[in-house]
Amino acid sequence: MATRDYALNKLFFDLQDPAKAAEYRAGRAAVLDRYVLSPEVRAAVEADDVGYLAGLVNPYLLRFYFLVAGMPDDEFMKRIRATGGPHG
Amino acid sequence: MAKLAGVYAASHGPLIIRKWDSVSAAHKEALTGAFDELGRRIRAARLDALVIISPDHWVNFFIDNLPMICVGVGETHAGPNEPWMMKEFPHETMPGHPQLARHILDTALASGFEPSVSHRMILDHGFCIPLLKAGVNPLPIVPVVFNDIEPPFPTVSRCYAWGEMLARAIATMPGDLRVGVLGSGGLSHSIGEATMGLIEEEFDRECINHFEQGDPAALCEFLTQRLPQVGNGGSEIRNWVAAHGAAGGRGFELINYSAVPEVIVGCGFAAWNLHA
C-alpha cells in the first residue's frame, strides 16, 4: 500500500470546500496551523515542493491541491513529471 | 421482470468540460459525435433507470473511510459539488431508484459481496459528465462507486463478477423496468504522478480489442497484469469490466476512441452487443 500522510491528505481533501480554499489563498499559515503536519511536511507545503509531497498523498488530491493553491497547470505538469516516481 | 436494455461505457475526463475551448476542432468533433451517439443509444433504449459505475473523486469518501464498492440507495442523490461542474450541470439533486438499488444490494449480499451503502451520495463529474455531454435528461440513477483512485483496488475479476451479479439482479427485479448500465471512466490517463499527461494509446487499443473479442478470462488477465504498469487513471477501466460482466462478456461495439492530449485522456465510448 502507498504511504499516506493522513494530515496532509486531510488538508488537501478539506480544501475542496471553496470557502476553505479562499481562506487558504488569502493566507496559508492560519489554515496550516489547524493541521498536525510534521515540520518537514509543512515546509514542503510552504515551498510548493511537488516532488516531496507526491510521495505522501493520493495523486488526485495532489493534483487538485495545486489547482487550488494557484499553481499554473503547465508548471504543475513540469514539476510532477520531473519526479520520475512510479505510477500510483 | 426487469430487462437489461443497454450497457455502455464512456470516458469522463474533467478537462472535457474545463478545457473544452482548448480542444482542437477535430477532437471536438470526435468527442461531440461520440457523446451524441451514446445519447442517441441511451434514449433509444427507453430506460427507466440507469446504473452508473464510477469512482468517487474524493467528494463522498476520504482515506478515513474508503469503500471498495458503495451502492447509492437513496430516493434522491446530491448533484455534483465541483464548482466547474455545478455551473454546467446545475442539478442540486438527482433522482435515485431505491427499489432497484435495494434489490441490487440484496442480490449482492446473497452473492458474496458486501458493499457499503449510501442513502445520500454526491454524484460527481464521473457520474454527470456522460449524462451532460450525451444530453441525457436526468433519469432515476443507481450510482455504484468502485474505488478506482486510491490503492489497494478491487481485483479486476471481482469487478467482472460484480457486473455479472448486476445482470442477475436486473433479471430478477420484479416489474417491467428497462434498466441500463454505464461504466464511466478510462481509458488510459495519468493524474498527479510522474507520467501525468501521458496517453498510452497502444494499451488502450489492446483493451478495446479485448472488449470487442469478449473472452472475460483473457480480458481480466490482461488488465490484472497491465493496470499496475499504466497511468493511474487506467484503473477506471474496472468500471468497463463491470459493464462487460453485466453484458455477459459479449463483445462491445466501439463508438469512438480518440487519444485527446488536450484533455489528457484516451477517450473511449462503447455499447455492448446484448443480442449477439
Side-chain angles (χ1 to χ4, degrees), chain B:
Chain B
M1 293 296 158
K3 180 180 167 62
L4 180 64
V7 180
Y8 319 93
S11 297
H12 66 226
L15 300 186
I16 292 172
I17 304 291
R18 291 185 43 235
K19 293 282 177 72
W20 184 249
D21 289 347
S22 68
V23 175
S24 73
H27 284 146
K28 272 184 182 155
E29 191 182 331
L31 291 175
T32 301
F35 277 118
D36 284 353
E37 177 59 17
L38 180 70
R40 192 191 67 74
R41 290 185 189 224
I42 291 175
R43 281 188 295 276
R46 295 176 287 110
L47 302 178
D48 300 302
L50 179 60
V51 179
I52 306 180
I53 304 156
S54 186
D56 176 63
H57 302 85
W58 301 116
V59 305
N60 289 283
F61 309 119
F62 182 55
I63 56 172
D64 52 1
N65 190 355
L66 187 64
M68 283 288 156
I69 299 180
C70 182
V71 179
V73 299
E75 187 84 45
T76 301
H77 313 297
N81 65 351
E82 302 106 317
W84 52 272
M85 193 66 212
M86 291 163 77
K87 210 170 106 193
E88 299 292 328
F89 197 72
H91 295 278
E92 276 186 33
T93 61
M94 295 168 68
H97 201 300
Q99 297 80 12
L100 176 60
R102 283 173 190 235
H103 183 69
I104 290 170
L105 195 58
D106 289 343
T107 308
L109 290 167
S111 306
F113 288 97
E114 291 82 22
S116 300
V117 177
S118 169
H119 287 259
R120 186 82 172 195
M121 194 183 279
I122 300 167
L123 304 189
D124 71 18
H125 70 272
F127 291 95
C128 295
I129 283 180
L131 298 176
L132 166 68
K133 295 294 284 185
V136 175
N137 289 325
L139 73 169
I141 288 165
V142 177
V144 176
V145 160
F146 275 13
N147 170 29
D148 302 321
I149 67 165
E150 170 70 2
F153 303 118
T155 65
V156 176
S157 56
R158 265 315 252 179
C159 295
Y160 185 80
W162 176 270
E164 289 183 307
M165 179 282 296
L166 261 186
R168 286 198 304 279
I170 293 164
T172 56
M173 172 78 190
D176 56 1
L177 287 179
R178 294 177 62 83
V179 180
V181 172
L182 168 68
S184 177
L187 292 159
S188 71
H189 54 294
S190 172
I191 305 297
E193 54 182 3
T195 52
M196 184 159 171
L198 179 67
I199 298 174
E200 292 165 271
E201 188 167 346
E202 194 182 328
F203 164 78
D204 289 343
R205 299 275 180 199
E206 276 188 80
C207 271
I208 289 164
N209 188 44
H210 276 287
F211 281 113
E212 285 173 335
Q213 298 296 320
D215 194 346
L219 172 73
C220 289
E221 190 184 334
F222 169 76
L223 289 174
T224 300
Q225 284 183 9
R226 292 298 303 281
L227 285 181
Q229 302 162 355
V230 299
N232 53 1
S235 182
E236 293 173 346
I237 299 167
R238 286 178 169 79
N239 312 339
W240 291 45
V241 171
H244 196 57
R250 298 180 191 91
F252 76 22
E253 180 192 341
L254 184 70
I255 294 172
N256 183 267
Y257 172 78
S258 301
V260 184
E262 305 95 302
V263 303
I264 64 171
V265 175
C267 297
F269 305 86
W272 272 262
N273 304 309
L274 295 184
H275 307 294

